Each structure stands twice: as structure tokens, then as C-alpha cells.
Amino acid sequence: MAVLPSDPIAAGQLGALIPPPMARRRRASWVRSLDVYIPGGFLLLLVLACFVWPVVYPVPQPVGGSILDASLGIGAPGHLLGTDTVGNDILARLLYGGRVSFEVAAATQVVGGVVGTMIGIVSTYLGGIAEAVVMRLLDVLLAIPAFILALTLLEGLGQGELNIIWALSIFFIPAFARLARAATLSLKEQTFVVAAHLTGTKRWRSIMRHIVPNVAPGLLTFALLNAGVAIIIEATLSFFGYGIPPPGPSWGNMIADGQQVMSTQPRLILVPSILLLVTVIALNTLGDGLRARWGVQ
Amino acid sequence: MAEATMTTTPSAVAGREGSDVLLDVRNVTQEFVLRNHGGVKGGILRAVSDVSFQMRHGETLGVVGETGSGKSTLARSVLQAPPPKAGEVIFRGKDLTKLHRKELLAMRQHVQMVFQDPPASLDPKWKVTQIVEEPLLAFGYGDRAKRRARVAELLELVGLDPRLHGGRKARELSGGQCQRVAIARAIALHPELIVCDEAVSSLDVLVQAQVLNLFERLRAELGLSYLFIAHDLALVKQVSDRVLVLYLGKLCELGPADDMFKAPAHPYTLALLASVPSPDPNAGRPETNRVISGELPSPLNPPSGCRFRTRCPRAEERCAAEEPQLRFVGPGHQVACHFPLVETPVAAPTTNGTGRL
């Protein structure tokens, strides 16, 4: 190179051409984090809206609207998004319906995740007959189509949010168990787990302190992806009349009701559908983003 | 190193059974069943076959052999992780292979292991203090404050600063520091035997020397015994009182380190020694007829008779037909070869007639 680093002009030109690597790296990492911040922030806003907004800022009741207020348009006084065919406020129904969706998503992932993960980890870590029996039982559960399983369970249990949660939790158990099993199989052979065993750590303690913390990030991102699935299944069940009993609000119910007047009032079906779609996309994006960030396969 | 063997080590003072034998490994065989897709039996891999040796209190026994010779499997068999398929491992007067799970767990405080890949042997989610505290917790050592103090003491013993390094995780430490943490964990419960499975192989030479010095210092201070596995012969020579040579899971030669390095009896030992590069520029190239060629045969289908015969420059017909038995060629120096390089048969073994030390 003819340009000496001590030459101020040349150095200045070089500096203009090539941004300092530090600054570039900082901006890049900030940009890279957007795949977590954007869906995360959106979901946070949505959850706050569903659970906090109706408490701090009064919205009309989601049920028992007057037929005199039926089919009001967007921006009608007192009804920001208008009303549906029986006079219920759409915004209120969206928010209260969102509560159901998020409650179902969170509860099924917590119950299914904890139970499935523990089944997968413990049976795999202990090995032997326990492992074989548990895994074959889970294969049976996995072989039944998810929706049929949920429908059958709800047929027996009856409608209602709590019953949906139980039915979907059972549906998610085998998926978590298999993932936890795969992770445990490789962890079990890791030197630090062998080292813990040889150092005298008891099996239960090893599971809780070594296996679970190292499996957790992968399962958490998996749960986020599953949460979207849970919301969709809940909406589908409600659409078919197996979910939240009408007139109770739920995104699925709203879509089912709106379907009858799809040609005259498309917003009744569009608004909850778009919200459902965006929520599921946000959950998937957040799950993918966290997976990439934590380096989980 | 050898003179410290029987005199003042605390563990030797206890004098169980009136002998100073710490570990007695008898005819240990370890096999693994290989399975093809669908769980079909693909064959039996005999990683260690019929290996016997003894260790005294305060002794360092080096185990050498090529990759795949069964060194690590032997170490794991001694530690019952997994237990060997056949044979006995008598440690502190108890046969570990016959102990129940709880009894075995209780024995683990007396025998600890240090692993080949230091960072991998530490949980990536744990802090150094937690890692060193783990064995103390497992055996209910004192209360929280007492454990903390002991952890700090241990970290200082292995040359780490408890305040500087204690809060770090494995990825924030160098390989050598990780191994120091692993050593601190291993010595936390005052074990009598430490199994070092290639414990310094992955470290660079300078750090290797530091860790070896640490091992030596701990041996002197705590009266430890080491089962020291390595593929680096120069290293083994430096640290071992006695050396055990393995080939394809078979014991080839076992004897005092000095004798063996001066006058190896097994052609395989000689070949291993010849493969050590000499730092002396005037030493010339190693004699080509002493260096063996070729790969280790498959342990799934080992050669008949003597397993080394396919690569042995001295092999004759007898080697294929008859498996050589261990015999003494010097005091405490055994070899399994029909045509040993040292032909000085000893009239009677030093201790008893069973071919044991």
C-alpha cells in the first residue's frame, strides 16, 4: 500500500470509506435483535390490551348487547369498532376473546410442557423398561390426529374454557415429551452429566439441576411455536361449537358468527381473523428469533 | 515419585486388611453390543478383555496405548460407569461390581475422575463455585457457610482466585482454568484415587506442565493415587511409578516405569517408545524396523492368538495359534508375549505364585 497510516488525509478518506468495525457490529446486533423485539413487543401490547384495558378504561360488556344497537359501523358512538348482528360491541368481544386465546395458549403450554418435559426427561434419564413403555404410549397418543383427539375429549368433558385447556394440554404432552427425550439423550452422554454422576450426585438432583436447565431454552422456544397452534385449535373448536359456549366471546366464535353475514358485513369476520393471524405469526417469529439467539437446534 | 509410595500417606496409615493395596482389578472385561438399524445385533465389541492389575496407596499408574486400545473404557469400568461385563474391581476392600446403587454412590467420594475435555466436563450453566460445591452437596458436607469456605479453600489449592474466578462460568475460563476447576471438584471430598482420563491431553504444553505440577503437588499434600491415562508416552514416563500398556483391550505389559522405558519387553511397547520424537538432533531417525505401520485391527474381529501379531515384526506361527499369557520378566515386570525383548525369566514372582504383583 502506498498510503501510510500516518497520513492524516489518507487516513480520513479511509475512515469515510470504511466505517469503524465496532460501530458496524453494534448496529448489526441491534438490527438482528428486531426479530425478537418486534413480535415480543406486539404480543406484550396485545396481552396488556386484553387483560388491562377493560379494567382501566371501561368498554361495553362483550355479551348482552341490545338488538337496537345491532350492526353499527366502525366509529359509532361508544362502539369504536362497531357492533355485530346482535348488538354486542366488537372491540369488547375482541379483547375478552383475546383473553380466552391467551389463557388457553399459556395454560396448555405450561401444563403440557411441564408434564411432557418431565415425562420425557425422567423416562429417558432412567432408561430401561420405563423408557420403552412411556415412549410407546406417547407414540399411540401422537398417532391420533390432534383435532380428532381434542374433539373426542371435549365431547366427553363438555364445553368450556377449562375443558379446552385440559384437552389441549393432553394433546401437547407427547410433542414435549419427544423433544425433551431427544435433548436428554444427547445431554446424558455429555461429560458434565457423567461427571456429576461420578461425583456422587443423585439421579433426581442431576435431572433437576443439570438436565432441566440445559433443556429449557429449546423447550421454551418450542412452547412459543406451540402456543400459536393452541390458539388456532381453540379458535377452530369454538368455530365448530365445541369451544367457548356462545354467546361467550372468543375469536373462533366471532369468526363463526361473522360467517353468516360475510357478504354484507365482511369486517365481522375480517377483524378477528386478522388479529388471529397476526398473533400466531408473532408467536412463531418470536419463537424462531429466540431459537436463533439461544443457538437451539 | 516412587519413594513416597508406602511411607506417610494418610490413606496408607489406615492399613485396611493389613495391606497397602488400594485398587485390585481382576480379570475385567467390558463389552458393548453394537446394533444396526432396527436394533439388530451387529456384533460384540470387546473393548477391554481380561485385564488385571493392582494399585498401591499413593501410587501413580500410567495407562498407555493407541486410540481405541480401551484405555478410557478400562477407566470407566473401574468407576462402574458403566460396570464391566465380567471381573472384579476391589477398591478399599469392597468389590464395586457387586455393590448396590446406594452403596456404590457412597463409595464415589473415595474415587473421582478428571476428564479429557475440561470445558465439556463443567455444566455450561453453572458457576465455578457451584461446580466445586456439587460433590460437597451430594455428600451433605456441612452447612452453607462451611461449604462456601471449603470451596474457596479448594479453589485456592488449585491456584484459582475464589473472588475472581468463583462467579464465572466454564465458557469464561481457559482450558487450563477449566481443568483446575475440575480438579478442585475431584479433590473436594478427599478421595484416595483419582482417575485422570487424558486429563492434560487437550491442553497446550505450558498449561500441561502447570496442571501436571498441580497433580504432583496434590499427591504430595493429600496422599492421592492416580490412574493416569494418556497417549503421550513422554508424559506418562514423567508422572508414573508403574506403567500398563494396552493393545486392543488386552494387557501387553505392566511394570515399573523406569524398567519399562529402559528395557521394554513387549514389541508393542518398543514401537510406542520408538514413536516418541527425540528432542536430540543428533539422535538420528528412529530405526525403521522398530516403528510399526498399519492401523489398529477392528476390535469387532480381533486377530487370533496374540492380537498384536498382525503388526509385530517378531511374529511367528505360534503367535497366531496361541494367546500369550502374562509372565514375569523382572521384579514386578510382566509381559504377555511369546518372544519378549527382555529374556530374563525370573525364577519366582516376588509375592505369590498366582502371577499377580
Side-chain angles (χ1 to χ4, degrees):
Chain A
M1 281 277 275
V3 183
L4 291 171
S6 57
D7 186 336
I9 302 165
Q13 282 169 341
L14 275 177
L17 284 171
I18 308 162
M22 275 304 287
R24 198 169 48 189
R25 189 174 302 157
R26 209 177 299 133
R27 191 178 63 211
S29 84
W30 173 78
V31 169
R32 236 182 287 128
S33 299
L34 285 182
D35 62 350
V36 172
Y37 290 148
I38 290 178
F42 173 78
L43 286 169
L44 190 67
L45 281 177
L46 205 58
V47 169
L48 285 176
C50 290
F51 288 90
V52 181
W53 188 353
V55 178
V56 296
Y57 187 86
V59 292
Q61 280 301 303
V63 291
S66 165
I67 196 77
L68 298 174
D69 294 333
S71 300
L72 293 177
I74 289 176
H79 303 289
L80 202 57
L81 288 177
T83 56
D84 62 11
T85 52
V86 292
N88 289 323
D89 184 74
I90 292 181
L91 179 65
R93 282 183 78 76
L94 279 179
L95 296 181
Y96 282 97
R99 282 188 179 185
V100 174
S101 293
F102 285 118
E103 281 165 9
V104 167
T108 53
Q109 294 318 298
V110 169
V111 176
V114 169
V115 175
T117 304
M118 286 323 289
I119 288 177
I121 290 178
V122 173
S123 65
T124 310
Y125 192 82
L126 298 183
I129 299 169
E131 182 184 12
V133 170
V134 166
M135 283 306 141
R136 292 298 82 76
L137 282 177
L138 293 176
D139 280 345
V140 171
L141 262 175
L142 269 181
I144 304 171
F147 195 69
I148 308 290
L149 178 68
L151 274 183
T152 315
L153 285 169
L154 282 174
E155 191 68 59
L157 293 169
Q159 287 185 324
E161 186 178 340
L162 208 57
N163 289 339
I164 293 188
I165 288 172
W166 289 128
L168 290 190
S169 297
I170 290 171
F171 158 62
F172 281 113
I173 285 173
F176 275 104
R178 293 213 77 100
L179 191 71
R181 171 184 158 75
T184 309
L185 272 180
S186 68
L187 272 175
K188 208 176 149 184
E189 303 302 319
Q190 297 267 312
T191 318
F192 69 84
V193 177
V194 177
H197 172 59
L198 292 182
T199 226
T201 303
K202 291 178 183 68
R203 291 191 290 187
W204 187 244
R205 205 182 147 72
S206 216
I207 287 174
M208 295 311 286
R209 302 294 312 278
H210 288 291
I211 307 281
V212 170
N214 281 289
V215 165
L219 289 169
L220 200 62
T221 59
F222 185 63
L224 281 171
L225 300 181
N226 275 345
V229 178
I231 287 178
I232 287 181
I233 295 182
E234 181 274 317
T236 317
L237 287 169
S238 294
F239 181 88
F240 283 115
Y242 277 90
I244 307 301
S250 146
W251 292 350
N253 278 349
M254 293 175 75
I255 296 170
D257 293 342
Q259 175 204 229
Q260 291 153 12
V261 288
M262 196 159 66
S263 51
T264 53
Q265 298 180 58
R267 75 195 151 85
L268 286 188
I269 202 167
L270 278 180
V271 173
S273 299
I274 291 170
L275 202 56
L276 182 67
L277 180 75
V278 176
T279 305
V280 172
I281 289 177
L283 280 168
N284 283 351
T285 319
L286 181 64
D288 278 338
L290 287 178
R291 191 165 58 179
R293 175 174 273 210
W294 290 334
V296 184
Q297 282 84 35
Chain B
M1 273 172 114
E3 56 274 8
T5 304
M6 301 155 141
T7 48
T8 53
T9 55
S11 42
V13 176
R16 272 168 295 275
E17 294 182 323
S19 81
D20 66 337
V21 174
L22 173 69
L23 177 71
D24 189 355
V25 174
R26 294 181 186 170
N27 309 97
V28 160
T29 296
Q30 181 65 289
E31 295 169 343
F32 300 105
V33 178
L34 299 183
R35 288 188 188 280
N36 298 330
H37 269 294
V40 185
K41 240 188 199 183
I44 292 174
L45 191 150
R46 188 165 282 195
V48 173
S49 41
D50 207 17
V51 171
S52 303
F53 63 89
Q54 289 182 325
M55 276 183 75
R56 292 185 297 264
H57 284 283
E59 182 184 43
T60 299
L61 176 68
V63 179
V64 293
E66 278 167 281
T67 304
S69 59
K71 308 184 295 283
S72 295
T73 310
L74 179 64
R76 289 287 194 93
S77 301
V78 168
L79 289 162
Q80 310 297 306
K85 286 285 179 299
E88 295 168 8
V89 178
I90 295 159
F91 177 68
R92 289 167 57 103
K94 282 185 181 159
D95 184 356
L96 298 185
T97 60
K98 295 200 174 52
L99 290 184
H100 292 293
R101 207 168 56 82
K102 288 224 166 113
E103 296 171 305
L104 187 61
L105 205 64
M107 285 302 274
R108 295 220 180 275
Q109 62 179 302
H110 304 295
V111 48
Q112 292 283 315
M113 186 160 177
V114 178
F115 295 86
Q116 172 167 17
D117 183 358
S121 73
L122 312 177
D123 191 320
K125 297 243 181 287
W126 285 31
K127 288 179 193 160
V128 165
T129 45
Q130 292 177 297
I131 292 169
V132 179
E133 198 185 358
E134 189 175 19
L136 301 176
L137 265 173
F139 286 95
Y141 177 94
D143 58 5
R144 201 184 173 86
K146 208 176 158 198
R147 285 196 303 268
R148 289 274 160 81
R150 174 76 177 138
V151 167
E153 183 187 312
L154 285 163
L155 286 177
E156 270 165 19
L157 194 61
V158 298
L160 292 172
D161 183 347
R163 272 181 301 179
L164 185 64
H165 302 110
R168 294 194 188 171
K169 293 184 177 169
R171 64 165 181 276
E172 296 160 329
L173 298 173
S174 69
Q177 288 170 330
C178 282
Q179 201 60 301
R180 286 170 190 272
V181 174
I183 293 168
R185 171 175 64 185
I187 61 173
L189 295 164
H190 295 296
E192 289 172 51
L193 173 65
I194 293 188
V195 176
C196 305
D197 185 4
E198 306 264 16
V200 294
S201 304
S202 66
L203 306 174
D204 65 59
V205 183
L206 199 65
V207 182
Q208 224 175 48
Q210 291 171 357
V211 173
L212 283 176
N213 285 340
L214 174 63
F215 274 134
E216 179 54 35
R217 204 184 81 219
L218 293 175
R219 189 172 94 137
E221 287 177 17
L222 308 173
L224 296 170
S225 307
Y226 294 115
L227 184 62
F228 194 91
I229 295 166
H231 54 252
D232 183 345
L233 251 85
L235 209 75
V236 167
K237 182 183 178 182
Q238 189 189 333
V239 301
S240 305
D241 301 312
R242 290 191 305 140
V243 176
L244 186 158
V245 181
L246 279 181
Y247 183 81
L248 266 185
K250 274 274 177 192
L251 205 165
C252 292
E253 191 170 358
L254 171 63
D258 294 341
D259 294 2
M260 238 163 88
F261 282 96
K262 237 176 273 162
H266 199 287
Y268 181 57
T269 314
L270 181 70
L272 283 178
L273 285 173
S275 68
V276 177
S278 168
D280 181 2
N282 300 320
R285 296 182 66 81
E287 297 164 49
T288 42
N289 61 352
R290 283 172 51 183
V291 178
I292 52 166
S293 58
E295 298 286 318
L296 203 66
S298 166
L300 280 173
N301 187 17
S304 65
C306 173
R307 294 188 175 191
F308 185 57
R309 70 177 165 82
T310 52
R311 298 162 80 189
C312 182
R314 296 163 74 94
E316 289 178 24
E317 273 172 35
R318 188 183 164 200
C319 299
E322 194 186 325
E323 194 168 327
Q325 299 301 311
L326 272 181
R327 57 186 167 125
F328 281 89
V329 290
H333 189 174
Q334 293 169 282
V335 66
C337 181
H338 292 305
F339 309 103
L341 301 158
V342 185
E343 204 51 87
T344 46
V346 181
T350 43
T351 49
N352 53 37
T354 59
R356 305 186 61 78
L357 177 74

